[in-house]
Amino acid sequence: MPSTTHPHAFHFDRAVDSYWEASADPLGIETPSLSGEASCEVAVIGAGFTGLSAALELAESGVDVRVLEAGAVGWGASGRNGGFACVGSHKLSYGRMIRSYGLDATKAYYEAMRQSVALVRDTLSRHGIDAWASGEGEVTLAHLPGRAAELREEQEFLARTFGEETEFLPKEELRARGLDGPGFHAGLRGAVGFGIHPLNYVRGLARAAAKAGAAIHGRSRLLRWEEGPDGHRLYTAQGMLKARHVIVATNGYTPEDVSTHHRGRLMPALSSIIVTRPLSEEEKRAQGWTSDLMAFDSRKLLHYFRLLPDGRFLFGGRGGTDASDRGSAAYRPVLTAAFNELFPAWRDVEITHYWRGFVCLAYDLVPYVGALDEKQTVWTAIAYHGNGVAMGSWSGRAVARLLMKKTAREELPPVLTRRLARFPLPAFRPLYLKGAYLWYGWQDSR
């Protein structure tokens, strides 16, 4: 497992106690554990957005594909995230991205993010998945008065660079749009994106992939991986799967001790969520928040939040470095205090669910899609920096097309294909993360 995590976070035998788990539609298909010996052309490790999107693309193209999942379908980040299908799967600023990759490559990457949102919409429609799609667009909220000017600058940059039209919302307009709160001083609304029920979505992907011919094996944790001249042997507790190609799609839950191609390349980081009971219309008006837009504030250690279709309010945030059960219990009051500060009219509203999970950061602060070995038999799509609903779906399809040679590497944005770099002195990644949080916290206060 990654060196930045704790064994308590890998409870594959039980589901996370999330609101999504409590409200999701049944999976509706059998996903038996791998038993005995089996073989396939492509093995996919991970039954989340990325892995199932890859499996769906492969199966629809007639490729013999099997998926290994350590827990149940969507057990990891795909079943426990905030349900934001939107752009923004990187932590590298656009300015630095342009300097590193060039303007054209950055534009191509931005267009891929836009396409990823459209892909999720199309997938829901094409496969009849009821994922509670809601809201049109997203809004960034200035958490300090001085950040309003930065939103103005961002608006101009997005229009000039990507042709992206956004709407600047001063404080009084936030109030008129039902986006009010004492800690919000201005907003920048974009038109791309919508909210979903992520577990319903990932279960729908599983049904679609299985219908297309993919075999999905739940409760089949990868324990040992052997590579030889005749392909790959993947061992679980009860079986062994032989494959010519392997796609690793485990993001922040990647087992670096088993998947050695990923060793030292990833930084899992915690993200936590609370969900309230359904709010009455009177309670919404009392707070001044009646919009169903996806929203997040302008902090580096951001908070993200939205009204759900059933009237509940979801509130999440980055932070915390202790992934143990004790660390989880200790972080709940921290997140609740942030919620109470931003939405004081709801401080006495019951919180019905609290859970956490890993997002995945890369050293280059951008996602990666491509091969990890010279023979091009080990592939990955990974590192969405806390925003993988749409980009994970797009990247899973993209890596499958690369493997099948339906798409050439040069056809994808270079931002995504250049490399998946190793962290310097990777054993110190927990210290890097703690240092970054201290630095971001200081920046967020200014």
Side-chain angles (χ1 to χ4, degrees):
M1 65 183 61
S3 63
T4 50
T5 59
H6 190 281
H8 288 174
F10 292 81
H11 49 84
F12 296 116
D13 59 327
R14 57 184 171 87
V16 64
D17 186 21
S18 71
Y19 176 63
W20 305 132
E21 190 70 37
S23 60
D25 295 331
L27 177 58
I29 58 172
E30 296 296 322
T31 58
S33 299
L34 181 69
S35 180
E37 292 191 7
S39 63
C40 61
E41 178 70 14
V42 181
V44 177
I45 304 170
F49 300 139
T50 301
L52 291 171
S53 293
L56 175 60
E57 182 71 17
L58 291 163
E60 288 184 334
S61 300
V63 176
D64 182 13
V65 56
R66 290 177 182 253
V67 182
L68 300 180
E69 166 57 48
V73 165
W75 178 91
S78 295
R80 63 177 81 185
N81 63 85
F84 285 52
C86 57
V87 302
S89 300
H90 55 280
K91 289 300 179 186
L92 188 68
S93 70
Y94 287 122
R96 290 177 60 193
M97 195 180 295
I98 291 169
R99 289 193 293 273
S100 297
Y101 298 93
L103 179 59
D104 289 343
T106 302
K107 286 182 175 180
Y109 168 66
Y110 193 88
E111 179 57 28
M113 289 192 294
R114 289 178 56 88
Q115 291 175 8
S116 73
V117 177
L119 174 63
V120 175
R121 279 199 188 275
D122 178 69
T123 301
L124 296 179
S125 175
R126 188 158 62 100
H127 297 287
I129 302 170
D130 181 9
W132 297 11
S134 63
E136 291 291 340
E138 61 180 359
V139 60
T140 309
L141 297 164
H143 76 283
L144 295 171
R147 297 294 172 92
E150 295 178 12
L151 293 184
R152 285 279 196 191
E153 293 173 2
E154 182 179 354
Q155 179 184 36
E156 295 172 3
F157 174 84
L158 292 173
R160 181 176 68 253
T161 309
F162 305 121
E164 186 69 65
E165 295 300 323
T166 56
E167 183 182 9
F168 181 81
L169 304 175
K171 176 69 174 176
E172 58 273 16
E173 190 61 26
L174 291 180
R175 188 174 299 113
R177 301 284 184 95
L179 297 164
D180 200 17
F184 308 136
H185 302 276
L188 187 64
R189 183 188 183 280
V192 179
F194 60 102
I196 66 166
H197 188 305
L199 191 54
N200 272 356
Y201 173 44
V202 74
R203 287 180 176 178
L205 279 175
R207 291 191 295 271
K211 183 178 180 181
I216 302 172
H217 299 287
R219 312 292 181 188
S220 300
R221 183 180 185 179
L222 179 63
L223 300 176
R224 192 168 88 253
W225 181 345
E226 295 177 356
E227 296 185 47
D230 60 340
H232 302 266
R233 287 177 168 80
L234 306 174
Y235 293 87
T236 68
Q238 297 178 313
M240 187 272 287
L241 179 62
K242 294 176 62 177
R244 289 186 59 191
H245 294 267
V246 179
I247 296 175
V248 182
T250 42
N251 210 41
Y253 293 86
T254 299
E256 294 184 12
D257 55 337
V258 179
S259 182
T260 56
H261 291 283
H262 291 80
R263 189 170 291 165
R265 298 176 189 261
L266 306 171
M267 177 85 82
L270 287 164
S271 191
S272 305
I273 293 175
I274 55 177
V275 168
T276 72
R277 64 157 169 78
L279 299 164
S280 69
E281 293 302 319
E282 182 180 356
E283 286 173 322
K284 295 174 193 176
R285 289 193 296 270
Q287 173 58 49
W289 193 280
T290 57
S291 173
D292 63 356
L293 276 181
M294 299 180 298
F296 49 92
D297 61 26
S298 55
R299 289 173 171 86
K300 295 283 188 181
L301 294 175
L302 61 82
H303 300 112
Y304 52 94
F305 35 91
R306 64 187 181 98
L307 271 175
L308 303 181
D310 63 356
R312 296 173 186 265
F313 196 75
L314 178 149
F315 183 87
R318 306 280 192 263
T321 57
D322 184 352
S324 70
D325 292 343
R326 181 177 179 179
S328 177
Y331 194 74
R332 178 171 182 163
V334 175
L335 185 64
T336 303
F339 168 70
N340 290 338
E341 180 182 355
L342 292 177
F343 299 95
W346 298 338
R347 64 172 53 251
D348 294 324
V349 170
E350 179 190 2
I351 293 170
T352 60
H353 295 83
Y354 163 72
W355 69 95
R356 0 171 51 189
F358 291 122
V359 302
C360 185
L361 316 179
Y363 180 67
D364 289 338
L365 301 179
V366 294
Y368 177 75
V369 178
L372 285 175
D373 65 336
E374 292 184 2
K375 295 183 296 183
Q376 295 192 347
T377 63
V378 180
W379 303 80
T380 198
I382 208 157
Y384 309 117
H385 300 87
N387 201 344
V389 174
M391 202 62 195
S393 304
W394 187 95
S395 297
R397 185 183 68 172
V399 76
R401 290 179 174 180
L402 282 174
L403 185 156
M404 293 186 291
K405 295 182 168 48
K406 283 188 172 182
T407 299
R409 179 175 179 270
E410 294 73 23
E411 295 178 70
L412 296 182
V415 173
L416 298 173
T417 61
R418 178 180 290 183
R419 65 175 187 170
L420 183 61
R422 285 187 171 85
F423 283 83
L425 301 173
F428 291 97
R429 282 175 289 175
L431 297 179
Y432 297 159
L433 193 61
K434 289 179 180 179
Y437 282 176
L438 288 172
W439 172 243
Y440 291 155
W442 180 77
Q443 286 185 308
D444 287 342
S445 66
R446 303 179 67 227

